[in-house]
Amino acid sequence: MREELENPVSHFIIDLIERKTGAKDPVVREYLEKAMQITLDHHTCLSLPSDPDLEQKLVQHPAIGGPAENCPFILFDNKLYLNRYFHMEKEIALMLFDRHEKQILEPGPDLKTELDRAFDEKNYQQKLAAFMAMTRKLTIISGGPGTGKTSTVVKILLLAKKLESGLKIKLAAPTGKAARRLRETLEDVETKDFSKPEVLTVHRLLGARLRNQVWKHGQENKLEADMLIIDEASMIDLSLMHHLLSAIPDHARLILIGDPEQLPSVEAGNVLSDLCYGDQGFSEGFKQKAEKIIGEFDAPLKSALPDTICHLEKSHRFSINSGIGRLSSALRNRSMDGYLSDEKVNFEFSERKNLTTLLTDHWKEYLGLLSVPEKDMELLSKTFQSVAIICSRRTGTSGSARINDEMESLLEDRDIKEPGQEFYHGRPIIITENDYRTGLFNGDTGICFKDEKTEDFVIKFDGIDKPIPELEIPKHETCFAITVHKAQGSEFDKVLFVLGRDGARDNPNLINLEMVYTAVTRAKREITIFSDKETWDKAISRAADRTGGIKEQIARIKKEKENHDK
């Protein structure tokens, strides 16, 4: 937590509260300040020590209320919230619980036949996930890289087409890049008489306008959908999840897909991880019904939201002995022992000055293509999309901004670009804000080249047919190197992961295991990790666990319902 930083806004608000209420208690003030400060690191609440005296002080303060009160701060389950975050979590928990509790859709007579046709015995987890998606109002499909999450989505779509051809299906993902990647996967599927659904960003799906201050769809204007599939759900923050759930019709089926071990959302909350915390669980009634369709399976019977979560474990991308597979599995299970290197996983514990050679070697093929007179844009694009330099930070000597400057200086030394030239042939570009006018979204990448007819520079973006003139490009930057957050939702054959601290304030939100895991799992074939041993050891030893209360909110709602039903 950023306790050492002064926050004038929190001081002003608490001073105002003290003037309005006349209540001045230095202990209470300290915890009010902590509750506000902790939101800067995207926690939704402050966990309190088990101290009856402290609890009594907080309860008696006029600015702090219980769950049913409308006070600036809310005390619940030994956690101190800002009012906004408490009610947002409460409403999310209620919407999820209501969807979980709604009538189960009975499996049709042809479901077993189609599931048997779509999945073999080795993929029973994917089969179970598809069964849940077809029969439940809320399904969460979690799993690491290469476990078949996306392929399961494709088969769910095919099942829906065959068994319920009239369904209105919507697909979305949090970022433009993630949406485009899912769209490309669907485009690769050969189907007959099947109109593949459009894949949108969640913001576009909900009709976000005026910098997300106005939403077309919400509580008063629901989406027109019978089935809604959201990919990369770990990237959805608390506020966006609230907007999304508010806009879904009661009858619709919601399917959330994601890896809860990846970096949490950029803004406050960690919704998917909170929901997937602990074991997947199934009620005895659901288990018996499912086994009639998919066969016997082992699963615990306890969960905050039983019959909802299906975790895919088997990786189809990495062999059991591959370095990337073993490393990602160890990081996911928090069981690192040594450095798990092989010919495809290379650790470079070295000084910053030795990074330059690695940068040049990593982009060697791409730089070679830029140096020849004939520019093959198709080959250039293919090469660019196959490699990535991923950095733990944007700033600092090992940050993506510095590395991009270094790469462009190298291009100037080789006469590939002129000093001070913004656009040049082969410049890789990443969009840094959503722009609905051009259809470009935060995280979209493209390559700059000169139009032979106009002599002007245009940018060809992955997934967009027509190149876009340089003057129409929204806010962007060069992307020989990108941050881990920008790399989420992407995959590359070869990755150079630069994990640097640069003597910056030691913040667990910047250097942690989830960041390392997310970076490592962007690599499909080969990864080099550049760091110093101290930073690496520190990163893998701590988690970016965010404090939240969705699990406790669901448990409270469940208990209230049980008491009401007695």
Side-chain angles (χ1 to χ4, degrees):
M1 190 176 70
R2 307 184 184 191
E3 294 178 280
E4 70 276 15
L5 295 184
E6 291 293 325
N7 186 344
V9 175
S10 65
H11 288 327
F12 173 81
I13 292 174
I14 296 171
D15 286 344
L16 181 62
I17 289 173
E18 289 182 344
R19 288 197 301 272
K20 291 285 187 180
T21 64
K24 294 185 178 182
D25 186 317
V27 174
V28 174
R29 181 183 179 99
E30 176 188 353
Y31 280 93
L32 294 182
E33 287 182 347
K34 286 181 177 180
M36 297 189 71
Q37 288 283 83
I38 203 168
T39 62
L40 297 176
D41 285 330
H42 310 305
H43 301 272
T44 59
C45 57
L46 173 69
S47 287
L48 300 171
S50 181
D51 183 345
D53 293 336
L54 172 62
E55 183 179 1
Q56 189 66 21
K57 279 179 176 287
L58 296 175
V59 167
Q60 292 176 347
H61 195 281
I64 302 173
E69 298 178 85
N70 188 23
C71 296
F73 295 86
I74 302 295
L75 185 62
F76 170 70
D77 197 54
N78 208 40
K79 294 182 175 72
L80 187 60
Y81 287 85
L82 296 181
N83 182 295
R84 174 175 178 265
Y85 285 134
F86 174 79
H87 284 96
M88 206 178 290
E89 282 196 346
K90 178 182 176 181
E91 290 167 14
I92 287 173
L94 185 58
M95 287 186 282
L96 289 171
F97 188 81
D98 284 350
R99 185 164 295 280
H100 161 266
E101 288 288 292
K102 286 187 183 299
Q103 179 183 353
I104 297 174
L105 302 172
E106 293 294 328
D110 298 327
L111 182 56
K112 184 178 188 306
T113 301
E114 295 299 337
L115 284 170
D116 289 342
R117 183 176 295 151
F119 300 95
D120 57 34
E121 294 181 358
K122 296 179 180 179
N123 295 321
Y124 81 92
Q125 289 179 331
Q126 295 179 29
K127 191 176 185 180
L128 173 61
F131 173 80
M132 293 167 65
M134 296 300 294
T135 60
R136 302 290 300 170
K137 293 291 183 70
L138 174 63
T139 300
I140 299 173
I141 303 174
S142 69
T147 52
K149 298 188 298 294
T150 305
S151 63
T152 300
V153 168
V154 171
K155 291 180 180 179
I156 289 170
L157 292 173
L158 295 174
L159 285 168
K161 169 64 178 176
K162 290 181 180 180
L163 300 176
E164 302 178 64
S165 58
L167 284 183
K168 294 180 180 178
I169 302 175
K170 303 283 188 182
L171 280 79
T175 66
K177 178 172 284 189
R180 195 155 287 154
R181 185 162 158 252
L182 180 56
R183 187 183 308 125
E184 291 168 355
T185 300
L186 293 178
E187 289 172 352
D188 292 339
V189 178
E190 295 183 5
T191 58
K192 296 180 180 179
D193 303 321
F194 176 38
S195 179
K196 298 167 186 174
E198 184 181 7
V199 185
L200 305 173
T201 65
V202 176
H203 287 84
R204 172 167 276 190
L205 174 75
L206 298 178
R209 300 190 179 100
L210 299 178
R211 294 188 178 272
N212 303 335
Q213 297 301 310
V214 178
W215 303 78
K216 178 180 178 181
H217 295 288
Q219 187 67 41
E220 303 301 323
N221 183 26
K222 303 284 188 177
L223 292 163
E224 293 184 7
D226 302 310
M227 177 182 284
L228 181 61
I229 300 175
I230 306 295
D231 197 16
E232 297 288 353
S234 66
M235 300 168 69
I236 299 180
D237 61 57
L238 194 73
S239 178
L240 185 57
M241 182 64 78
H242 186 271
H243 282 295
L244 176 65
L245 293 173
S246 299
I248 302 174
D250 291 343
H251 74 276
R253 279 169 271 187
L254 172 63
I255 303 163
L256 299 175
I257 319 288
D259 184 351
E261 300 300 326
Q262 286 192 27
L263 272 175
S265 56
V266 175
E267 299 300 331
N270 197 9
V271 182
L272 185 71
S273 181
D274 286 344
L275 295 174
C276 293
Y277 182 83
D279 294 324
Q280 59 187 340
F282 299 96
S283 64
E284 190 61 45
F286 176 83
K287 193 168 185 291
Q288 290 177 0
K289 184 176 293 186
E291 288 181 340
K292 292 178 182 178
I293 303 295
I294 68 170
E296 294 185 0
F297 61 93
D298 294 324
L301 301 178
K302 292 183 179 181
S303 174
L305 287 175
D307 314 331
T308 298
I309 302 166
C310 184
H311 179 62
L312 308 182
E313 296 177 341
K314 182 180 178 182
S315 176
H316 302 274
R317 181 185 302 170
F318 307 118
S319 70
I320 192 171
N321 295 318
S322 76
I324 296 178
R326 290 187 298 121
L327 179 57
S328 61
S329 179
L331 291 167
R332 183 183 182 87
N333 298 321
R334 306 188 182 191
S335 59
M336 282 294 297
D337 182 18
Y339 299 107
L340 299 175
S341 60
D342 65 2
E343 69 276 5
K344 300 298 182 182
V345 178
N346 181 39
F347 284 87
E348 289 282 346
F349 293 131
S350 184
E351 297 178 4
R352 172 59 177 88
K353 63 182 181 180
N354 297 321
L355 177 59
T356 302
T357 301
L358 284 177
L359 300 178
T360 307
D361 289 345
H362 195 75
W363 283 107
K364 182 178 180 179
E365 185 176 354
Y366 191 80
L367 294 175
L369 292 172
L370 292 180
S371 300
V372 298
E374 296 296 326
K375 312 296 185 184
D376 187 333
M377 282 304 300
E378 184 175 343
L379 181 57
L380 199 65
S381 177
K382 183 178 180 181
T383 303
F384 168 69
Q385 293 174 20
S386 68
V387 298
I389 298 174
I390 300 176
C391 303
S392 59
R393 308 179 66 233
R394 187 180 186 280
T395 58
T397 60
S398 298
S400 59
R402 178 69 66 88
I403 289 175
N404 283 320
D405 289 343
E406 193 169 333
M407 290 298 301
E408 291 196 321
S409 294
L410 177 64
L411 295 180
E412 293 173 4
D413 292 342
R414 298 188 180 189
D415 295 325
I416 295 174
K417 74 177 287 285
E418 298 176 7
Q421 183 181 15
E422 181 180 7
F423 292 95
Y424 53 89
H425 185 83
R427 180 194 178 196
I429 286 174
I430 187 167
I431 300 299
T432 58
E433 67 178 12
N434 294 337
D435 185 83
Y436 294 97
R437 177 182 55 84
T438 58
L440 295 171
F441 299 96
N442 189 2
D444 283 348
T445 56
I447 297 176
C448 180
F449 67 96
K450 182 174 286 189
D451 188 308
E452 294 181 355
K453 294 181 180 179
T454 65
E455 293 294 310
D456 294 326
F457 284 107
V458 295
I459 295 86
K460 177 67 178 70
F461 286 90
D462 183 32
I464 295 181
D465 294 332
K466 187 178 179 180
I468 298 178
E470 62 178 280
L471 296 178
E472 296 182 19
I473 300 300
K475 192 175 179 181
H476 61 276
E477 57 190 36
T478 302
C479 64
F480 284 104
I482 56 177
T483 62
V484 179
H485 275 106
K486 293 292 187 185
Q488 276 188 280
S490 301
E491 295 175 342
F492 308 93
D493 289 337
K494 185 179 178 182
V495 168
L496 170 60
F497 174 40
V498 182
L499 177 63
R501 189 174 55 187
D502 295 328
R505 182 175 55 83
D506 188 22
N507 188 341
N509 287 291
L510 299 178
I511 303 294
N512 53 54
L513 185 143
E514 286 82 359
M515 172 170 283
V516 174
Y517 172 79
T518 303
V520 168
T521 54
R522 299 312 91 202
K524 294 192 291 185
R525 297 182 182 177
E526 183 178 343
I527 185 169
T528 297
I529 298 168
F530 182 90
S531 186
D532 62 86
K533 191 175 183 301
E534 180 185 355
T535 301
W536 170 263
D537 289 342
K538 181 167 286 189
I540 64 173
S541 68
R542 62 189 183 186
D545 295 329
R546 288 186 179 175
T547 306
I550 287 181
K551 298 186 295 293
E552 291 80 3
Q553 294 274 18
I554 291 174
R556 180 182 64 85
I557 295 168
K558 187 176 182 180
K559 185 175 181 179
E560 288 177 353
K561 181 179 183 300
E562 290 172 349
N563 291 336
H564 181 269
D565 293 343
K566 286 181 179 179

